[in-house]
Amino acid sequence: QVQLVESGGGLVQPGGSLRLSCAASGSIFMINDMNWYRQAPGKQRELVASITQFGRINYVDSVKGRFTISRDNAKKTVYLQMNSLKPEDTAQYYCNAVIQSRSYGATSHYWGQGTQVTVSS
């Protein structure tokens, strides 16, 4: 079974930085898109950043210039470097990836359990 595990969340002051990591494991043939979502209490989950297997990157407008998404294919890991954090960035951050399973033989979306990011003074 394919699994995604996030790490790197925590409490940080406004203007601070955090780096989130999401490592994929299991019977994986290929990882296509890798994404970071976030969901604040009482709000809908939103796509924050995405990176394709070819390295094409997109960000939601609210994080452009502050967040950087990257991936290490050898480690099957996607990162989200978050700088100049604001209180409105506070949310549960979820890793999502489009993965072709070696055992299942089909491509599907997988989700991590999430990691909490709290930006507060």
Side-chain angles (χ1 to χ4, degrees):
Q1 189 78 13
V2 173
Q3 289 185 312
L4 299 176
V5 179
E6 302 100 333
S7 62
L11 176 64
V12 65
Q13 292 183 317
S17 298
L18 286 173
R19 189 177 76 156
L20 306 183
S21 299
C22 172
S25 62
S27 185
I28 297 171
F29 177 73
M30 182 173 63
I31 302 176
N32 296 321
D33 296 351
M34 303 188 81
N35 313 288
W36 285 100
Y37 287 77
R38 67 185 180 188
Q39 187 169 26
K43 294 186 177 181
Q44 190 173 354
R45 186 173 298 186
E46 69 170 347
L47 177 63
V48 177
S50 63
I51 182 168
T52 72
Q53 60 180 321
F54 309 110
R56 188 165 66 183
I57 293 170
N58 284 288
Y59 300 99
V60 67
D61 287 343
S62 60
V63 308
K64 288 181 178 177
R66 300 188 298 118
F67 290 11
T68 302
I69 188 171
S70 61
R71 62 190 287 169
D72 186 330
N73 292 328
K75 296 181 178 180
K76 298 183 178 66
T77 300
V78 61
Y79 305 94
L80 186 67
Q81 178 67 47
M82 304 184 294
N83 299 325
S84 302
L85 282 162
K86 304 175 180 179
E88 50 263 45
D89 295 318
T90 297
Q92 190 82 0
Y93 283 71
Y94 298 90
C95 176
N96 166 268
V98 180
I99 297 174
Q100 183 175 357
S101 172
R102 187 180 300 275
S103 59
Y104 184 66
T107 301
S108 60
H109 284 81
Y110 293 87
W111 290 89
Q113 293 298 307
T115 184
Q116 179 67 36
V117 172
T118 302
V119 185
S120 177
S121 59

